[in-house]
Amino acid sequence: MQRPSARRDVMNPTQPTDDGSGMGLCGLDLMADQHRLAWLFRAVSAGEFLAVTAADAPAARRSVLESNNLAHETLAEWIEQGDRRGIRLTPRGRRLCVALVALRAEHARLLSHLGVAFAEDVRLLDRVAVRTSARNEFVARVASTMKGTLREDVLLEVAGRRFIKAAITQASVAALGLRPGIEVFALIKASSVFLLPTGEEEAHASHNTLAGTVSHIQRDGDTTEVTVDLGSGLTAVATGKAALAAHLSVGEPCVAAFRPSAVILGRVA
């Protein structure tokens, strides 16, 4: 059996494996260009600051926000000052990237030892791995569940001891095996999020409300995208018609609100 060579540049996070698979470990393609961590790896090679072009800015900025959300801490900072824009890693983010580089090197040696047949199995795992288009992705822990007639309300704790509620069917609760202490992904489409001035939460008591500060506003024709810094490394993204942010400006406090039924839950098997 021919075995792929383990010789490779472990400091190049986007280099494919020698067998052409570009696979990650256990079905997670951690090093691919399209992975959200790819921009963080590029920042490692750049040193203290990775400058990003205007064309690449949306993808790079999204990578930073999503990585911080899922990590429950700040792995990187998105810097935008005039024409200067880019990524600055925190010590924690840099340490994570170094750990994954080491993991990648060990993975290469494992493939070299086990051969091409094992690489085919890893490729299969990657094909069944799921990614989503939701702009708001939070790692959460189930705090409690409350059973209703047809659906069940699941209370979730996210970073910073904040809580949101998801309303899903009892069948989904059973299928996911949800119970207090279980870790899940909470997904909310940006179009399901609307923004309120602070102080108006009581008028939307049936909604999830997360207070924060407007950190970015981007307009494209009659559509507006607003990013809200929620603290504790979390951000929320809302999109809608131009009126979405008519009453808001960068640096202003606001509240991101969304219905419990807009929250989609997932769990890593």
Side-chain angles (χ1 to χ4, degrees), residues 48-107:
E48 292 297 318
F49 180 79
L50 173 67
V52 176
T53 65
D56 287 334
R61 184 172 163 276
R62 179 174 179 176
S63 171
V64 169
L65 299 183
E66 290 181 349
S67 297
N68 290 343
N69 272 0
L70 294 175
H72 270 198
E73 56 187 307
T74 303
L75 300 178
E77 299 172 335
W78 175 253
I79 308 297
E80 192 163 348
Q81 299 172 338
D83 293 334
R84 183 174 181 262
R85 64 183 67 82
I87 298 171
R88 179 181 294 129
L89 289 176
T90 64
R92 179 68 180 96
R94 188 171 297 276
R95 191 165 72 248
L96 175 67
C97 289
V98 169
L100 287 178
V101 166
L103 179 63
R104 183 174 187 265
E106 290 301 319
H107 173 51

Side-chain angles (χ1 to χ4, degrees), residues 58-195:
R61 184 172 163 276
R62 179 174 179 176
S63 171
V64 169
L65 299 183
E66 290 181 349
S67 297
N68 290 343
N69 272 0
L70 294 175
H72 270 198
E73 56 187 307
T74 303
L75 300 178
E77 299 172 335
W78 175 253
I79 308 297
E80 192 163 348
Q81 299 172 338
D83 293 334
R84 183 174 181 262
R85 64 183 67 82
I87 298 171
R88 179 181 294 129
L89 289 176
T90 64
R92 179 68 180 96
R94 188 171 297 276
R95 191 165 72 248
L96 175 67
C97 289
V98 169
L100 287 178
V101 166
L103 179 63
R104 183 174 187 265
E106 290 301 319
H107 173 51
R109 282 191 281 271
L110 179 64
L111 285 183
S112 177
H113 176 70
L114 294 177
V116 175
F118 181 78
E120 291 292 339
D121 291 337
V122 176
R123 268 195 290 274
L124 174 59
L125 291 174
D126 269 38
R127 285 199 297 271
V128 299
V130 176
R131 302 187 71 203
T132 80
S133 62
R135 293 300 308 276
N136 297 291
E137 300 179 321
F138 302 111
V139 175
R141 194 168 297 278
V142 176
S144 65
T145 61
M146 181 177 295
K147 186 174 295 186
T149 304
L150 295 175
R151 71 177 192 181
E152 202 156 333
D153 289 337
V154 182
L155 186 65
L156 306 166
E157 181 180 355
V158 296
R161 290 198 57 78
R162 293 177 179 236
F163 293 87
I164 62 175
K165 185 183 293 184
I168 62 177
T169 65
Q170 293 178 11
S172 294
V173 171
L176 292 172
L178 299 184
R179 61 183 184 277
I182 293 294
E183 187 175 274
V184 296
F185 287 95
L187 311 176
I188 307 103
K189 292 180 62 176
S191 57
S192 297
V193 179
F194 60 97
L195 304 178

